[in-house]
């Protein structure tokens, strides 16, 4: 949910903000419909050098009992602490960590990777590359979104919130190519944002970017597990994703566990 001041807002490609209403009223409605997580983003916080969502979060947790991720204007460890104390479960960062990547390390060392979401606003540029934007799309960085996602994962972020600026607010469906590029290049979960119109859009982006058909190779002996083939000798049918294999699955060649397999 994108928030400006006291209002929930809607934009198209991060421009032309339109007021929808009170954020917590929408959040409560989403919660009653069965949503399992909520994201609050102050879309002008970095521009004005502030983070004003603590009060909103502390009110929300009185009636909403799902994990809350909060972002916008986070510039320091103290900002993170304030939001967590208000009731947030995770924080999302963009502008501040682009300016100072070591802030990622500081937050992870203090609160843990599970607390930190790297928010990436990516826009396709004239060179055919996705460029990272900051200040809610107002500032170009010249930073390649793929390179930044990989670096963020290496520095320890727990998740990536990936917004396609070109699709944001357009209801044209997710940018599958962008989501696939990032999700196949990092080992952390990627949350796709921008372009949703129908439930089928959810299905499409998950099926086309989940990597369920990628093969996995045992780093000890080189055995390759192919989800499309499964492992009939062990009773694993074709079409079984690696993630769905039993926890005690062993390499049939060297008996190594799942932890020794790497995605190709």
């Amino acid at each position: 949910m994108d928030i400006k001041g006291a209002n929930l807002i809607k934009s198209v490609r991060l421009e032309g903000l339109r007021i929808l209403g009170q954020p917590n009223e929408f959040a409560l409605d989403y919660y009653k419909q069965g949503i399992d997580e909520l994201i609050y983003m102050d879309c002008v916080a970095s521009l004005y050098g502030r983070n004003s969502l603590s009060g909103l979060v502390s009110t929300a947790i009185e009636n909403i009992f799902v994990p809350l991720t909060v972002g916008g204007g986070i510039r320091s460890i103290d900002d993170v602490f304030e939001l967590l104390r208000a009731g947030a479960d995770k924080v999302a960062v963009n502008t501040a960590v682009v300016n100072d990547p070591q802030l990622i390390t500081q937050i992870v060392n203090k609160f843990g990777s599970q607390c930190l979401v790297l928010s990436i606003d990516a826009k396709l540029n004239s060179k055919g590359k996705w460029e990272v934007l900051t200040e809610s799309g107002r500032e170009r960085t010249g930073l390649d979104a793929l390179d930044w996602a990989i670096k963020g994962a290496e520095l320890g972020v727990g998740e990536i919130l990936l917004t396609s600026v070109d699709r944001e607010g357009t209801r044209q469906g997710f940018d599958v190519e962008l989501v696939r590029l990032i999700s196949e290049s990092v080992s952390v979960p990627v949350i796709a944002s921008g372009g949703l119109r129908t439930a089928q859009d959810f299905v499409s982006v998950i099926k086309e970017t989940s990597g369920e058909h990628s093969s996995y190779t045992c780093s000890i002996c080189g055995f390759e597990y192919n989800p499309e083939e499964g492992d009939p000798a062990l009773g694993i049918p074709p079409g079984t994703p690696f993630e769905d294999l039993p926890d005690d699955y062993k390499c049939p060649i060297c008996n190594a566990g799942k932890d020794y397999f790497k995605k190709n």
Side-chain angles (χ1 to χ4, degrees), residues 210-212 216 240-247 258 263:
S210 65
E212 61 182 9
Y216 290 74
T240 302
F242 183 80
E243 293 80 1
D244 291 346
L245 294 177
D247 291 338
K258 288 178 67 176
K263 182 179 178 182

PDB file of all heavy atoms in Angstrom, residues 210-212 216 240-247 258 263:
ATOM      1  N   SER A 210       9.052 -19.066 -11.265  1.00  0.00           N
ATOM      2  CA  SER A 210       9.352 -19.783 -10.018  1.00  0.00           C
ATOM      3  C   SER A 210      10.576 -20.669 -10.119  1.00  0.00           C
ATOM      4  O   SER A 210      11.118 -21.113  -9.117  1.00  0.00           O
ATOM      5  CB  SER A 210       8.154 -20.640  -9.597  1.00  0.00           C
ATOM      6  OG  SER A 210       7.920 -21.665 -10.541  1.00  0.00           O
ATOM      7  N   GLY A 211      10.996 -20.980 -11.356  1.00  0.00           N
ATOM      8  CA  GLY A 211      12.144 -21.861 -11.515  1.00  0.00           C
ATOM      9  C   GLY A 211      11.828 -23.304 -11.225  1.00  0.00           C
ATOM     10  O   GLY A 211      12.720 -24.112 -10.966  1.00  0.00           O
ATOM     11  N   GLU A 212      10.538 -23.672 -11.260  1.00  0.00           N
ATOM     12  CA  GLU A 212      10.174 -25.035 -10.902  1.00  0.00           C
ATOM     13  C   GLU A 212      10.708 -26.059 -11.901  1.00  0.00           C
ATOM     14  O   GLU A 212      10.756 -27.238 -11.627  1.00  0.00           O
ATOM     15  CB  GLU A 212       8.660 -25.156 -10.798  1.00  0.00           C
ATOM     16  CG  GLU A 212       7.899 -24.848 -12.060  1.00  0.00           C
ATOM     17  CD  GLU A 212       6.404 -24.950 -11.875  1.00  0.00           C
ATOM     18  OE1 GLU A 212       5.949 -25.092 -10.745  1.00  0.00           O
ATOM     19  OE2 GLU A 212       5.689 -24.885 -12.895  1.00  0.00           O
ATOM     20  N   TYR A 216      18.948 -29.072 -10.747  1.00  0.00           N
ATOM     21  CA  TYR A 216      19.819 -28.863  -9.594  1.00  0.00           C
ATOM     22  C   TYR A 216      20.942 -29.890  -9.638  1.00  0.00           C
ATOM     23  O   TYR A 216      20.694 -31.073  -9.882  1.00  0.00           O
ATOM     24  CB  TYR A 216      19.034 -28.991  -8.288  1.00  0.00           C
ATOM     25  CG  TYR A 216      18.071 -27.856  -8.035  1.00  0.00           C
ATOM     26  CD1 TYR A 216      16.881 -27.765  -8.749  1.00  0.00           C
ATOM     27  CD2 TYR A 216      18.361 -26.867  -7.104  1.00  0.00           C
ATOM     28  CE1 TYR A 216      15.993 -26.713  -8.533  1.00  0.00           C
ATOM     29  CE2 TYR A 216      17.479 -25.812  -6.880  1.00  0.00           C
ATOM     30  CZ  TYR A 216      16.303 -25.746  -7.595  1.00  0.00           C
ATOM     31  OH  TYR A 216      15.436 -24.706  -7.388  1.00  0.00           O
ATOM     32  N   THR A 240       8.043 -32.984 -10.190  1.00  0.00           N
ATOM     33  CA  THR A 240       8.198 -32.616  -8.780  1.00  0.00           C
ATOM     34  C   THR A 240       9.292 -31.565  -8.625  1.00  0.00           C
ATOM     35  O   THR A 240      10.469 -31.843  -8.886  1.00  0.00           O
ATOM     36  CB  THR A 240       8.569 -33.836  -7.920  1.00  0.00           C
ATOM     37  OG1 THR A 240       7.574 -34.842  -8.057  1.00  0.00           O
ATOM     38  CG2 THR A 240       8.690 -33.444  -6.447  1.00  0.00           C
ATOM     39  N   PRO A 241       8.949 -30.319  -8.232  1.00  0.00           N
ATOM     40  CA  PRO A 241       9.966 -29.285  -8.037  1.00  0.00           C
ATOM     41  C   PRO A 241      10.965 -29.694  -6.960  1.00  0.00           C
ATOM     42  O   PRO A 241      10.621 -30.426  -6.020  1.00  0.00           O
ATOM     43  CB  PRO A 241       9.153 -28.057  -7.598  1.00  0.00           C
ATOM     44  CG  PRO A 241       7.769 -28.327  -8.083  1.00  0.00           C
ATOM     45  CD  PRO A 241       7.590 -29.815  -7.982  1.00  0.00           C
ATOM     46  N   PHE A 242      12.183 -29.222  -7.091  1.00  0.00           N
ATOM     47  CA  PHE A 242      13.214 -29.560  -6.102  1.00  0.00           C
ATOM     48  C   PHE A 242      12.776 -29.164  -4.695  1.00  0.00           C
ATOM     49  O   PHE A 242      13.031 -29.887  -3.725  1.00  0.00           O
ATOM     50  CB  PHE A 242      14.526 -28.858  -6.467  1.00  0.00           C
ATOM     51  CG  PHE A 242      15.672 -29.207  -5.555  1.00  0.00           C
ATOM     52  CD1 PHE A 242      16.374 -30.381  -5.714  1.00  0.00           C
ATOM     53  CD2 PHE A 242      16.035 -28.339  -4.527  1.00  0.00           C
ATOM     54  CE1 PHE A 242      17.429 -30.708  -4.866  1.00  0.00           C
ATOM     55  CE2 PHE A 242      17.084 -28.650  -3.680  1.00  0.00           C
ATOM     56  CZ  PHE A 242      17.784 -29.841  -3.847  1.00  0.00           C
ATOM     57  N   GLU A 243      12.106 -28.009  -4.599  1.00  0.00           N
ATOM     58  CA  GLU A 243      11.685 -27.514  -3.283  1.00  0.00           C
ATOM     59  C   GLU A 243      10.687 -28.449  -2.605  1.00  0.00           C
ATOM     60  O   GLU A 243      10.534 -28.425  -1.381  1.00  0.00           O
ATOM     61  CB  GLU A 243      11.061 -26.118  -3.413  1.00  0.00           C
ATOM     62  CG  GLU A 243      12.044 -25.028  -3.823  1.00  0.00           C
ATOM     63  CD  GLU A 243      12.317 -25.017  -5.325  1.00  0.00           C
ATOM     64  OE1 GLU A 243      11.719 -25.842  -6.050  1.00  0.00           O
ATOM     65  OE2 GLU A 243      13.126 -24.178  -5.769  1.00  0.00           O
ATOM     66  N   ASP A 244       9.993 -29.276  -3.394  1.00  0.00           N
ATOM     67  CA  ASP A 244       8.986 -30.173  -2.839  1.00  0.00           C
ATOM     68  C   ASP A 244       9.537 -31.557  -2.513  1.00  0.00           C
ATOM     69  O   ASP A 244       8.800 -32.433  -2.051  1.00  0.00           O
ATOM     70  CB  ASP A 244       7.812 -30.325  -3.819  1.00  0.00           C
ATOM     71  CG  ASP A 244       7.008 -29.046  -3.949  1.00  0.00           C
ATOM     72  OD1 ASP A 244       7.182 -28.148  -3.104  1.00  0.00           O
ATOM     73  OD2 ASP A 244       6.205 -28.935  -4.903  1.00  0.00           O
ATOM     74  N   LEU A 245      10.825 -31.779  -2.759  1.00  0.00           N
ATOM     75  CA  LEU A 245      11.421 -33.056  -2.396  1.00  0.00           C
ATOM     76  C   LEU A 245      11.425 -33.208  -0.876  1.00  0.00           C
ATOM     77  O   LEU A 245      11.512 -32.217  -0.148  1.00  0.00           O
ATOM     78  CB  LEU A 245      12.857 -33.152  -2.921  1.00  0.00           C
ATOM     79  CG  LEU A 245      13.037 -33.188  -4.442  1.00  0.00           C
ATOM     80  CD1 LEU A 245      14.523 -33.207  -4.782  1.00  0.00           C
ATOM     81  CD2 LEU A 245      12.334 -34.396  -5.042  1.00  0.00           C
ATOM     82  N   PRO A 246      11.358 -34.444  -0.375  1.00  0.00           N
ATOM     83  CA  PRO A 246      11.395 -34.645   1.085  1.00  0.00           C
ATOM     84  C   PRO A 246      12.669 -34.056   1.686  1.00  0.00           C
ATOM     85  O   PRO A 246      13.725 -34.009   1.034  1.00  0.00           O
ATOM     86  CB  PRO A 246      11.380 -36.182   1.224  1.00  0.00           C
ATOM     87  CG  PRO A 246      10.800 -36.684  -0.056  1.00  0.00           C
ATOM     88  CD  PRO A 246      11.236 -35.712  -1.116  1.00  0.00           C
ATOM     89  N   ASP A 247      12.576 -33.598   2.928  1.00  0.00           N
ATOM     90  CA  ASP A 247      13.743 -33.003   3.582  1.00  0.00           C
ATOM     91  C   ASP A 247      14.906 -33.981   3.680  1.00  0.00           C
ATOM     92  O   ASP A 247      16.070 -33.569   3.731  1.00  0.00           O
ATOM     93  CB  ASP A 247      13.358 -32.509   4.985  1.00  0.00           C
ATOM     94  CG  ASP A 247      12.432 -31.310   4.936  1.00  0.00           C
ATOM     95  OD1 ASP A 247      12.412 -30.616   3.892  1.00  0.00           O
ATOM     96  OD2 ASP A 247      11.712 -31.075   5.921  1.00  0.00           O
ATOM     97  N   LYS A 258      20.092 -32.490   0.530  1.00  0.00           N
ATOM     98  CA  LYS A 258      19.592 -31.418  -0.342  1.00  0.00           C
ATOM     99  C   LYS A 258      20.461 -30.165  -0.280  1.00  0.00           C
ATOM    100  O   LYS A 258      20.573 -29.429  -1.264  1.00  0.00           O
ATOM    101  CB  LYS A 258      18.148 -31.064   0.024  1.00  0.00           C
ATOM    102  CG  LYS A 258      17.121 -32.104  -0.369  1.00  0.00           C
ATOM    103  CD  LYS A 258      15.722 -31.692   0.075  1.00  0.00           C
ATOM    104  CE  LYS A 258      15.226 -30.466  -0.670  1.00  0.00           C
ATOM    105  NZ  LYS A 258      13.832 -30.118  -0.297  1.00  0.00           N
ATOM    106  N   LYS A 263      21.223 -24.781  -7.688  1.00  0.00           N
ATOM    107  CA  LYS A 263      20.361 -24.534  -8.837  1.00  0.00           C
ATOM    108  C   LYS A 263      21.188 -24.142 -10.045  1.00  0.00           C
ATOM    109  O   LYS A 263      22.096 -23.327  -9.952  1.00  0.00           O
ATOM    110  CB  LYS A 263      19.373 -23.410  -8.485  1.00  0.00           C
ATOM    111  CG  LYS A 263      18.370 -23.082  -9.586  1.00  0.00           C
ATOM    112  CD  LYS A 263      17.434 -21.986  -9.101  1.00  0.00           C
ATOM    113  CE  LYS A 263      16.448 -21.570 -10.145  1.00  0.00           C
ATOM    114  NZ  LYS A 263      15.571 -20.464  -9.691  1.00  0.00           N
TER     115      LYS A 263
END
